[in-house]
């Protein structure tokens, strides 16, 4: 069994393209990322490339929202603002949520010219949501063996576990 160094690894094959990825905590990496990715590919059934291989990647900012995400010169949204889920490294949902508020605040600011309108683009509520998810990420980092992981997933299949997951992951 292969385990990502403190986070997740994935293979997504849509029949036309295969995407192999690895995300983890830098302090848990035991080798350079390309080497870890190759180890993962070697230990997991991944499709052989039928054509050219493109390598791309980079850090996903899961450290939380930046302190300053708005000014009269512009608003930061999504990854640029640090709005990435520490549980999934997904940024699309937080970006969509932020962009709706950003559009509204931008419209009001441009219409009125009032700088104080920008104060409505405060990420305090998102920071609270991030704190819960970040705490869960730290807890999940402590899971080192498959037995404990199975126990956690069994708990998520209970009515209380399902309700908690729905609230944390999908609201």
């Amino acid at each position: 069994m292969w385990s990502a160094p403190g986070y997740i690894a994935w293979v997504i094959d849509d029949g036309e393209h295969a995407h192999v990825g690895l995300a983890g905590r830098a302090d848990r990496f035991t080798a350079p990322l390309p080497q870890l990715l190759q180890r993962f590919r070697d230990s997991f059934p991944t499709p052989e490339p039928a054509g050219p291989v493109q390598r791309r990647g980079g850090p996903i900012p899961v450290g939380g929202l930046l302190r300053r995400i708005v000014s009269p010169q512009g608003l930061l949204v999504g990854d640029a603002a640090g709005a990435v889920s520490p549980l999934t490294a997904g940024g699309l949902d937080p970006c969509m949520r932020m962009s709706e508020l950003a559009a509204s605040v931008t419209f009001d600011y441009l219409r009125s010219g009032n700088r104080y309108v920008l104060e409505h683009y405060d990420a305090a509520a998102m920071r609270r949501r991030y704190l819960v998810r970040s705490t869960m990420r730290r807890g999940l980092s402590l899971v080192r063996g498959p037995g404990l992981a199975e126990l956690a997933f069994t708990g998520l299949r209970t009515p209380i576990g399902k309700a908690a997951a729905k609230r944390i992951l999908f609201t």
Side-chain angles (χ1 to χ4, degrees):
M1 179 178 160
W2 197 88
S3 118
Y7 212 37
I8 58 176
W10 62 90
V11 176
I12 301 171
D13 184 0
D14 65 9
E16 188 174 331
H17 299 98
H19 304 269
V20 180
L22 171 65
R25 293 178 40 166
D27 63 337
R28 294 225 184 129
F29 284 179
T30 57
L33 192 55
Q35 195 174 31
L36 290 171
L37 190 57
Q38 187 60 48
R39 280 189 213 160
F40 172 61
R41 286 196 66 226
D42 292 344
S43 67
F44 193 82
T46 57
E48 284 301 315
V53 173
Q54 293 181 348
R55 297 192 196 303
R56 41 181 203 257
I60 298 172
V62 294
L65 290 169
L66 300 175
R67 293 198 186 285
R68 187 165 177 242
I69 61 172
V70 62
S71 79
Q73 287 74 40
L75 290 78
L76 297 177
V77 178
D79 291 3
V84 177
S85 171
L87 289 175
T88 64
L92 185 57
D93 179 61
C95 180
M96 295 302 290
R97 292 172 190 268
M98 287 183 84
S99 62
E100 185 177 349
L101 177 59
S104 174
V105 168
T106 300
F107 177 79
D108 290 346
Y109 173 68
L110 292 174
R111 187 177 43 127
S112 70
N114 183 347
R115 285 185 68 150
Y116 295 104
V117 168
L118 298 174
E119 292 177 7
H120 294 276
Y121 192 67
D122 177 22
M126 292 189 78
R127 282 191 189 96
R128 284 190 296 276
R129 291 176 52 166
Y130 182 86
L131 180 63
V132 171
R133 292 176 183 187
S134 179
T135 301
M136 285 186 67
R137 165 56 36 215
R138 282 193 295 278
L140 289 171
S141 302
L142 301 174
V143 175
R144 303 286 185 174
L148 193 52
E150 281 298 321
L151 183 64
F153 284 111
T154 299
L156 287 173
R157 287 190 289 267
T158 67
I160 292 172
K162 286 179 183 178
K166 181 179 179 183
R167 175 152 174 74
I168 292 167
L169 297 174
F170 302 110
T171 59

